[in-house]
Amino acid sequence: MLPPAVRMRSSADFAQTIRRGARAGRTTLVVHGRVSERPGVRVGFVVSKAVGGAVVRNVVRRRLRGLVMEQLDTVPSGTDVVVRALPAAATADYATLGADLRSALSQSLRRAGAS
């Protein structure tokens, strides 16, 4: 579970990160990263019905949360990140999701200038 201080909850924050952030896509997910003026790191997840039913979406969301927890140390403070799962995430294994997340996260943060 992500600590409350790390969770992105406001739909306005999601929209701003997706619209103004740097995007990096992979076969299973898309990562949007944006440098914000707030201290700390905030992370949000978007797992739509296109991914699957409620059970599948929750499994994908839990896997992504765990993977993001492993990567939090690599994300610089003052960064907002939105991870959007694609339908291929439903059938991907944990290792594939992890590789895609690490790759897309580093590329997104590099493009956003959050080094």
Side-chain angles (χ1 to χ4, degrees):
M1 186 94 164
L2 286 174
V6 177
R7 291 185 219 148
M8 185 181 298
R9 296 184 183 179
S10 165
S11 62
D13 292 338
F14 274 88
Q16 196 170 32
T17 302
I18 289 171
R19 287 189 187 125
R20 296 186 182 168
R23 180 178 52 114
R26 299 295 179 267
T27 57
T28 59
L29 50 85
V30 176
V31 175
H32 301 269
R34 180 177 75 90
V35 176
S36 70
E37 53 280 343
R38 293 183 183 190
V41 176
R42 292 185 310 157
V43 181
F45 300 93
V46 178
V47 184
S48 73
K49 287 184 180 180
V51 174
V55 173
V56 174
R57 290 195 312 268
N58 286 329
V59 167
V60 169
R61 190 176 298 113
R62 267 187 251 116
R63 286 181 177 174
L64 290 174
R65 263 193 225 128
L67 290 164
V68 166
M69 285 291 293
E70 295 172 5
Q71 297 296 313
L72 272 181
D73 295 339
T74 64
V75 180
S77 182
T79 306
D80 290 343
V81 176
V82 172
V83 179
R84 184 168 48 97
L86 298 176
T91 56
D93 60 353
Y94 194 80
T96 304
L97 277 175
D100 283 355
L101 177 69
R102 281 188 295 279
S103 172
L105 183 61
S106 66
Q107 183 178 9
S108 172
L109 294 177
R110 194 171 48 250
R111 286 181 179 173
S115 21

